[in-house]
């Protein structure tokens, strides 16, 4: 039976980033994913925020043009609020390319990545895999999404508060749009969240997300309804791809680690509870997770696992969890119109700008080894 130090379940950004960091610490690492291709089953728009772009070394050629303008629309779609930053706040990534880049980086560090293999449970350090021989692993990293099977098998916390999202992605004519992030607050098509339109200069992303129990029709139907006249959408010039899946919005889970393994990414609830952005949190928490796992495997000291404390992280964004409850409570067009109207004044615009352009969407889980901010803005956000 093959034996590894760490088995990572899930080859998304969190799993591959964790695998690379663990392999660099001279641990034997195997990554398995049920998908046969990393370009299949993508569940994220791929919006990277400024803070992530400043703090992490992302492949620039896979990132679209910078976005500085956000337009907030009420259900009527009339008179949107335009917020403009003096810096690039968002860039949309070519996520198949980003995943492949992350895979190559993990493999270059020494990790092995095997696709088309489904995790089928674990017991006493032996991991069962469909379509492959079982593997003996000293430690398991669950990077297997919002409804993590690994979390259940390890007796760790699981996500209970979820929204469901769906998105259309299609090519557009280059140079025909001005980069902008269009956000529509309309509970008829996105109860408890937003509809959105954004592009990366080559592809448009049109999506909706919300609480499934409040959707008057299925999310796919609501997406098609929204896309028919979504503000800022450009006509497709090629095939339309559909994406979608659950998004945890209950904040970081409390119990994230045990002597048999730990959770990262969506499996850990590492998503901003207000904005539902998960790319920045998954990278930050993966760095702490890799450090904790490596130190635990090196020393055998279970006290190391206490550093990976979801409860401590939750305490850093109580305000975001409160705003999530407020947003979840907007269930009528009239309430949504009133909410947008409240943001038109100076105080409201300042609060919206702080949420959309600020550095505090997700807290740093801990100091990053060997990290040196690349500019003064990164120094502020990392502090």
């Amino acid at each position: 039976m093959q034996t590894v130090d760490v088995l990572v379940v899930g080859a998304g950004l969190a799993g591959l980033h964790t695998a690379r960091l663990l392999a660099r610490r001279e641990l034997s690492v195997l990554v398995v994913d049920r998908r046969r291709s990393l370009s299949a089953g993508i569940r994220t728009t791929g919006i990277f925020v400024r803070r992530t772009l400043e703090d992490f070394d992302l492949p620039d050629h896979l990132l679209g043009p910078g976005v500085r303008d956000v337009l907030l629309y009420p259900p009527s779609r009339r008179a949107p609020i335009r917020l403009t930053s003096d810096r690039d706040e968002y860039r949309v990534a070519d996520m198949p390319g980003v995943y492949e880049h992350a895979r190559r980086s993990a493999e270059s560090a020494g990790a092995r990545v095997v696709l088309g293999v489904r995790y089928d449970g674990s017991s006493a350090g032996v991991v069962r895999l469909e379509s492959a021989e079982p593997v003996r692993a000293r430690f398991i990293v669950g990077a297997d999404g919002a409804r993590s099977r690994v979390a259940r098998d390890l007796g760790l916390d699981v996500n209970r508060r979820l929204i469901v999202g769906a998105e259309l992605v299609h090519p557009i004519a280059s140079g025909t749009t001005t980069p902008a992030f269009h956000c529509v607050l309309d509970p008829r098509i996105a109860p408890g969240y937003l509809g959105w339109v954004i592009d990366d200069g080559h592809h448009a992303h049109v999506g909706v997300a919300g609480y499934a129990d409040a959707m008057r029709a299925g999310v796919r139907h609501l997406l098609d309804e929204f896309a028919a006249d979504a503000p800022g959408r450009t006509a497709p010039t090629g095939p339309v791809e559909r994406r979608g899946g659950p998004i945890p919005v209950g904040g970081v889970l409390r119990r994230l680690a045990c002597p048999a393994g730990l959770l990262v990414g969506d499996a850990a609830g590492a998503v901003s509870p207000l904005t539902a952005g998960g790319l920045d949190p998954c990278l930050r928490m993966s760095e702490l997770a890799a450090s904790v796992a490596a130190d635990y495997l090196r020393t055998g000291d279970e006290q190391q696992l206490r550093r990976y404390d979801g409860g401590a992280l939750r305490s850093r964004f109580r305000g975001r969890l409160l705003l999530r409850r407020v947003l979840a409570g907007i269930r009528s067009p009239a309430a949504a119109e009133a909410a947008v109207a409240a943001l038109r004044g100076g105080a409201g615009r300042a609060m919206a700008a702080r949420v959309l352009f600020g550095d505090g969407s997700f807290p740093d889980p801990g100091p990053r080894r060997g990290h040196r901010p690349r500019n003064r803005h990164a120094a502020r956000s990392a502090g």
Side-chain angles (χ1 to χ4, degrees):
M1 185 183 300
Q2 179 185 180
T3 300
V4 297
D5 291 318
V6 183
L7 177 75
V8 179
V9 181
L13 195 57
L16 291 169
H17 190 57
T18 305
R20 179 177 71 89
L21 296 174
L22 288 169
R24 286 174 58 184
R25 290 170 167 84
E26 300 184 349
L27 294 167
S28 59
V29 181
L30 172 64
V31 182
V32 297
D33 195 292
R34 65 183 181 180
R35 297 174 296 164
R36 296 187 179 277
S37 168
L38 294 182
S39 63
I42 295 174
R43 295 184 173 183
T44 176
T45 299
I47 300 175
F48 285 94
V49 298
R50 172 174 50 81
R51 187 179 179 215
T52 319
L53 297 168
E54 291 173 340
D55 285 0
F56 293 91
D57 186 18
L58 299 169
D60 191 74
H61 68 285
L62 296 175
L63 299 170
V67 177
R68 299 188 175 197
D69 290 325
V70 176
L71 286 84
L72 299 175
Y73 296 79
S76 65
R77 316 285 175 87
R78 294 193 295 267
I81 301 171
R82 179 183 289 270
L83 301 170
T84 302
S85 174
D86 58 0
R87 295 172 289 183
D88 292 344
E89 296 290 346
Y90 306 99
R91 295 180 71 181
V92 183
D94 168 12
M95 288 310 296
V98 168
Y99 288 143
E100 189 56 42
H101 178 272
R103 174 186 179 174
R104 291 195 301 269
S105 296
E107 291 176 332
S108 295
R112 190 159 68 94
V113 181
V114 180
L115 303 181
V117 172
R118 183 188 295 269
Y119 169 85
D120 192 36
S122 61
S123 176
V126 176
V127 180
R128 301 183 302 278
L129 304 171
E130 290 186 8
S131 307
E133 294 296 319
V135 173
R136 187 177 299 280
R138 296 174 61 198
F139 202 73
I140 301 173
V141 172
D144 53 334
R147 297 190 174 103
S148 171
R149 168 75 183 275
V150 173
R152 289 177 169 82
D153 288 349
L154 297 183
L156 300 174
D157 286 352
V158 296
N159 292 295
R160 303 291 185 190
R161 298 179 61 191
L162 302 163
I163 60 176
V164 61
E167 185 175 64
L168 302 176
V169 183
H170 59 74
I172 59 174
S174 298
T176 59
T177 62
T178 300
F181 192 0
H182 302 265
C183 300
V184 180
L185 184 62
D186 186 348
R188 294 170 298 186
I189 54 98
Y193 194 59
L194 301 167
W196 66 89
V197 177
I198 193 170
D199 71 68
D200 60 8
H202 301 285
H203 293 82
H205 298 255
V206 183
V208 299
Y211 292 97
D213 61 354
M215 291 181 171
R216 55 183 172 77
V219 66
R220 180 170 180 147
H221 174 80
L222 293 177
L223 172 60
D224 290 340
E225 181 180 327
F226 174 66
D229 62 351
R233 186 184 183 189
T234 304
T237 60
V240 178
E241 172 194 352
R242 286 186 179 267
R243 298 179 181 177
I247 307 167
V249 291
V252 176
L253 301 174
R254 289 181 171 83
R255 189 162 185 260
L256 298 175
C258 68
L262 55 71
L263 308 175
V264 294
D266 283 8
V271 174
S272 171
L274 177 58
T275 65
L279 295 176
D280 183 79
C282 87
L283 290 172
R284 294 185 192 281
M285 284 194 64
S286 293
E287 296 213 337
L288 177 60
S291 173
V292 167
D295 288 346
Y296 167 64
L297 290 171
R298 178 177 54 83
T299 65
D301 181 4
E302 294 185 13
Q303 295 295 321
Q304 295 289 342
L305 299 173
R306 294 189 177 183
R307 293 163 46 209
Y308 200 58
D309 181 1
L313 275 176
R314 290 178 66 87
S315 67
R316 301 187 197 179
F317 50 87
R318 291 192 182 96
R320 299 272 166 166
L321 288 167
L322 176 60
L323 289 173
R324 158 52 45 196
R325 289 193 288 271
V326 171
L327 186 57
I330 300 175
R331 295 297 178 94
S332 72
E337 291 280 351
V340 175
L343 298 176
R344 295 188 185 279
R349 291 176 67 90
M351 184 183 74
R354 183 176 179 183
V355 169
L356 294 166
F357 300 154
D359 292 328
S361 179
F362 194 86
D364 259 320
R368 298 170 57 199
R369 293 182 177 181
H371 171 63
R372 292 184 179 181
R374 284 186 266 174
N375 55 44
R376 62 184 178 87
H377 302 310
R380 181 184 64 182
S381 66

